[in-house]
Amino acid sequence: MSGNKAAIRGWTRTQSRLGRQAARPVVAFGLLSCLLGVGQAWCVASVLGHALVGLVSGAGANALALWPVFTFAVLAFIRALIMALSDTAAAKAGIDARRRLRGEVLASILTGGPALLRKTHSGELANIAVDRVEALDGFFARWVPASVLWYMAPILILLPVGFIQPYAALVLGLCGASVPFGQALFGIGAAMASRNQFLAMTRLQARFLDRVKGIATIVLAGRADDETQRLGQAADELRQRTMKVLRVAFLSSASIDCAMVIALVLIAIMDGRQAMALLSGGASPALTYTLTSGLFVLLVIPEFFAPLRGLALAYQDRAHAQGAATAILDLPEAQQRPSPEGARTVSASGIMISLEDVCFTWDPARGPALDHVSFTVPAGETLILAGPSGSGKSTIMELLLGFIQPDSGSVRLNGAPLESIVPDSLSRMVSWIGQRPVLFAGTLKDNILFARTDADEADLLAAVKAAAVDQFLPSLPDGLETRIGEGGFGLSGGQAQRIAIARAYLKNAPILLLDEPTAHLDPATEKSVFESLQRLALRRTVVLATHSAAVHMFNGRRVDLQAGHVAARQGAA
């Protein structure tokens, strides 16, 4: 646990250091705004001081000077402009930081690949990449500048106050110094409350996503009311934890108010006594200066505590950052792309695949998923991976896709180790079709063009025809422009697979990985899909993992797997 806390503190310090570089303009604008606020306070104090002296002397309005009013208006305009620039710079710093962090989170998720979903719910991953990163906007836009301004701005204000009234500067300094202790006390509670809030939010999102995915099963089982009640309980838990975060934030703000009131009362009492002593002598320059300086110090007190209040308001943003760090640090470390000296590409056509003495273990308690597996698939030939569920077929697919790395041994393409190949190059070389095609909400055309967005109309229509998508297009309301739902909602299983095949045709990659592509299809549809896959496999290096009896339609080498071992071979694999 202590190691986890140390990691969170280290991550927060690193992000703070990176954030300060982008927050320098915000800090500069904040200090300039603070100086302008001091100037405004002196203008108001001058007007009020001369007005009070005029009332004492009977001069009334004639004693008032116009220069403080004009100066105040000019300073107010400049300060409004500075604050607008500061807000813009803070927003930009937050946007840049979130873009950087979201890229790091997505890189970590891609590094984990599908294997990460075995340990972490997809709803939680979405929460980390979207909500938790988005919640860090305040950390970079508000907390990082406030962590510098909270001590620099008060020191800047104490300089003129100390020159005019040293005792007032001493009172302000002591009251201001007491604020960080209160903030530290409430900050511990804020961090704990924020982590609990994020945990409740993650549970609610994961539960809701699971129930939406299985809503048909829930309704058929008659458990809709029960699940509705449980979702309501999870939502109520999130509400309660959110209110705890707000409660701590309000208490943190109240500690600053107490310090400010104490400073205000003490300084007002001292200034009042000094002014009363001079009033007995009537109007005088000394009385004018005393009233003006006393009013200036009183008016500048809110300016003195404003940066401290900003720190208190941003303390919750720091707590959000610590809560987000807990989840982000649990993600696998993003793999660095190979250096230019080590990066490699391979021939875009005629690729040979080989596994050399590969071992891989998902969970040591369950034993190795692959145990010294070796085979070779010559360029342009097909390898059929056969074996029962759990024999290691999908693990081999994930190795070939680059989602995981072998514990020992090597995976090679044309003799080049897979990990040494430029990731973008590997992506262009491989097409994959699984049990359930990955289709997005949109038109059929958009889903096919996802493989190659720059494809022209002729290439698109050729892929549609080769995958036999044109056979069911007449039954759709808008042909290729027909809109489907997420996951291919609105299409049958066979139609969805044909869209995936059309996408592979359009990509035209030299390696084709087929992982149980007909697992959920009826025999007639399965035979039709295999015929399309046969055409797609021509002149490509193919690895096919399947249980189907129709696999005889593919001619090629065969490797039978059993509990991660190669049990039998046919051909020279």
Side-chain angles (χ1 to χ4, degrees):
M1 186 65 181
S2 59
N4 187 36
K5 290 182 178 179
I8 292 174
R9 286 195 297 268
W11 185 89
T12 305
R13 284 195 296 267
T14 300
Q15 298 305 319
S16 297
R17 184 176 64 253
L18 295 173
R20 287 193 189 100
Q21 298 176 2
R24 288 173 183 171
V26 184
V27 173
F29 287 136
L31 294 175
L32 184 57
S33 176
C34 176
L35 288 176
L36 293 173
V38 172
Q40 287 181 287
W42 181 258
C43 292
V44 174
S46 297
V47 172
L48 294 178
H50 283 82
L52 291 174
V53 172
L55 291 175
V56 172
S57 63
N62 294 329
L64 295 177
L66 295 178
W67 70 264
V69 178
F70 176 76
T71 305
F72 178 86
V74 173
L75 293 177
F77 175 78
I78 298 175
R79 192 179 191 189
L81 181 61
I82 292 296
M83 292 176 69
L85 293 174
S86 177
D87 289 343
T88 302
K92 183 179 184 301
I95 291 171
D96 292 343
R98 280 179 288 143
R99 182 183 295 116
R100 171 180 58 79
L101 271 178
R102 187 167 284 118
E104 293 176 0
V105 169
L106 291 176
S108 296
I109 293 175
L110 290 176
T111 296
L116 184 60
L117 294 175
R118 301 174 188 268
K119 301 182 295 181
T120 308
H121 195 282
S122 59
E124 183 176 352
L125 294 177
N127 172 261
I128 295 172
V130 179
D131 295 329
R132 295 212 176 194
V133 172
E134 200 66 26
L136 292 175
D137 175 63
F139 177 81
F140 294 100
R142 292 187 293 273
W143 164 258
V144 173
S147 66
V148 178
L149 287 172
W150 79 270
Y151 65 88
M152 292 187 67
I155 291 175
L156 202 60
I157 292 174
L158 284 178
L159 294 177
V161 173
F163 179 77
I164 295 172
Q165 289 188 357
Y167 63 87
L170 178 62
V171 172
L172 276 179
L174 291 175
C175 291
S178 67
V179 171
F181 294 100
Q183 295 303 299
L185 179 63
F186 290 113
I188 297 173
M192 294 178 60
S194 179
R195 282 195 291 269
N196 291 334
Q197 182 203 27
F198 269 122
L199 180 61
M201 183 185 299
T202 300
R203 287 173 178 170
L204 176 60
Q205 289 179 328
R207 179 181 291 273
F208 182 76
L209 181 61
D210 280 341
R211 274 43 180 186
V212 169
K213 287 181 176 179
I215 191 168
T217 304
I218 292 172
V219 172
L220 290 175
R223 301 300 300 273
D225 292 339
D226 293 340
E227 293 302 326
T228 301
Q229 184 178 3
R230 290 179 181 177
L231 282 173
Q233 292 172 351
D236 188 64
E237 180 189 5
L238 176 61
R239 178 189 62 81
Q240 293 177 4
R241 295 188 185 278
T242 302
M243 295 306 296
K244 287 182 180 179
V245 173
L246 295 175
R247 188 183 307 138
V248 173
F250 288 143
L251 290 174
S252 177
S253 179
S255 66
I256 296 180
D257 292 335
C258 291
M260 186 172 68
V261 169
I262 292 173
L264 190 64
V265 170
L266 292 176
I267 293 174
I269 290 174
M270 290 186 290
D271 287 343
R273 289 177 178 177
Q274 188 175 0
M276 291 299 294
L278 293 173
L279 276 174
S280 59
S284 65
L287 177 61
T288 302
Y289 177 78
T290 299
L291 288 175
T292 300
S293 61
L295 289 170
F296 165 73
V297 173
L298 292 175
L299 290 171
V300 89
I301 288 176
E303 289 288 344
F304 178 85
F305 283 97
L308 297 170
R309 188 182 300 279
L311 181 72
L313 294 175
Y315 218 95
Q316 183 181 352
D317 296 316
R318 182 176 181 271
H320 282 320
Q322 292 179 332
T326 304
I328 292 175
L329 289 173
D330 287 338
L331 296 175
E333 184 177 354
Q335 294 178 349
Q336 298 294 324
R337 288 175 177 267
S339 62
E341 293 78 14
R344 301 183 61 178
T345 60
V346 297
S347 173
S349 60
I351 297 178
M352 178 183 69
I353 299 174
S354 61
L355 269 69
E356 300 176 1
D357 202 32
V358 169
C359 297
F360 184 84
T361 301
W362 292 104
D363 182 0
R366 299 171 57 186
L370 296 177
D371 190 9
H372 300 285
V373 173
S374 300
F375 61 76
T376 299
V377 189
E381 295 193 17
T382 297
L383 172 70
I384 300 169
L385 294 176
S389 297
S391 60
K393 301 189 299 296
S394 295
T395 302
I396 290 176
M397 289 294 181
E398 294 193 20
L399 283 168
L400 294 175
L401 287 167
F403 290 143
I404 55 177
Q405 300 294 329
D407 298 332
S408 62
S410 65
V411 180
R412 296 177 178 271
L413 302 183
N414 278 0
L418 192 68
E419 62 272 13
S420 71
I421 299 174
V422 178
D424 289 341
S425 176
L426 178 62
S427 176
R428 287 192 297 269
M429 289 190 298
V430 178
S431 289
W432 172 83
I433 300 177
Q435 300 179 23
R436 299 183 183 277
V438 180
L439 301 181
F440 309 100
T443 64
L444 295 182
K445 182 178 180 180
D446 291 338
N447 272 276
I448 297 174
L449 288 175
F450 181 76
R452 209 178 90 215
T453 55
D454 60 344
D456 56 26
E457 194 71 15
D459 290 337
L460 173 64
L461 295 178
V464 167
K465 183 176 181 180
V469 173
D470 56 342
Q471 294 181 6
F472 64 84
L473 281 183
S475 63
L476 301 177
D478 299 312
L480 283 175
E481 298 298 332
T482 300
R483 300 191 68 83
I484 60 174
E486 193 73 24
F489 183 80
L491 297 177
S492 67
Q495 291 172 339
Q497 284 291 47
R498 290 192 181 281
I499 296 298
I501 295 172
R503 184 187 287 169
Y505 266 110
L506 190 62
K507 187 175 183 180
N508 195 26
I511 297 176
L512 178 62
L513 304 180
L514 304 174
D515 188 5
E516 303 285 359
T518 61
H520 304 286
L521 304 180
D522 60 84
T525 306
E526 178 185 49
K527 182 175 181 296
S528 178
V529 167
F530 263 132
E531 289 174 351
S532 296
L533 290 174
Q534 276 184 305
R535 294 192 295 270
L536 177 61
L538 291 176
R539 296 182 300 277
R540 289 181 172 84
T541 305
V542 181
V543 178
L544 168 62
T546 183
H547 292 103
S548 174
V551 72
H552 66 273
M553 298 177 65
F554 277 82
N555 296 320
R557 303 162 184 251
R558 180 184 176 111
V559 170
D560 290 287
L561 298 173
Q562 184 70 38
H565 297 271
V566 175
R569 302 173 187 267
Q570 293 182 17

